[in-house]
Amino acid sequence: MSTEDALSTVIAMHRLLRNLRRASDTSAVHPTQLIVLALLNQHGAQRIGELAKRVPCSQPTATTAVAGLAAIGFVDRAPDPTDGRAIQVVVTTAGRAALQSVARGEAEVLTELLATLSDDDLRLFLAATPVIGALADSHPAAEGRVPDLV
């Protein structure tokens, strides 16, 4: 595969993901807030500084994202068990439900798009899914990657 082929693939994947996000209902949360929720869901309670490093964003941006999520009940603040002076942010049941809703919405949009494919193209697309997942998980930066929604 050439670099140009790889570039075409990257652009196509970005366009597909952007279209899924636009078509599903993510109005309850900002994209940065969605990443914060997914990080908390995937990795458990974290301090705001840890969240800022993982998103990545500035600490004030992470603080603003967490404050917005707390205001709508998607996260809570809890004492850090290792440092009584610090707090950790934890995702709530409502926050997990919001993540599930976004993922389901995107899956519904993808289902509609896939219904427009021929049977051969659909099989080809579905056969690529495990390969794409394996590539995503094998990259050295996978630990710092944007988390899975669910």
Side-chain angles (χ1 to χ4, degrees), residues 9 13 120-136:
T9 302
M13 290 185 338
D120 288 342
D121 284 348
L122 178 59
R123 276 191 290 280
L124 188 61
F125 183 90
L126 295 175
T129 300
V131 176
I132 293 168
L135 284 173

Side-chain angles (χ1 to χ4, degrees), residues 42-124:
Q42 188 171 358
H43 298 288
Q46 296 179 50
R47 292 183 185 186
I48 288 180
E50 293 170 320
L51 288 169
K53 287 178 192 172
R54 287 182 184 234
V55 166
C57 66
S58 68
Q59 191 152 344
T61 298
T63 300
T64 300
V66 166
L69 290 169
I72 57 177
F74 288 176
V75 299
D76 282 328
R77 292 181 171 99
D80 185 326
T82 63
D83 182 351
R85 300 167 295 167
I87 61 133
Q88 290 186 328
V89 182
V90 296
V91 67
T92 64
T93 301
R96 282 190 186 87
L99 278 175
Q100 288 284 336
S101 177
V102 168
R104 270 192 297 279
E106 290 177 3
E108 288 170 6
V109 172
L110 182 58
T111 299
E112 292 170 12
L113 292 172
L114 293 176
T116 68
L117 297 178
S118 69
D119 289 344
D120 288 342
D121 284 348
L122 178 59
R123 276 191 290 280
L124 188 61

Side-chain angles (χ1 to χ4, degrees), residues 1 6 9-10 13 127-143 145 148:
M1 176 181 238
T9 302
V10 166
M13 290 185 338
T129 300
V131 176
I132 293 168
L135 284 173
D137 292 339
S138 69
H139 191 276
E143 176 58 30
R145 69 184 161 89
D148 302 325

Side-chain angles (χ1 to χ4, degrees), residues 3 13 29 84 134:
T3 302
M13 290 185 338
V29 292

Side-chain angles (χ1 to χ4, degrees), residues 5 19 37 60 150:
D5 290 337
N19 289 338
L37 277 176
V150 290

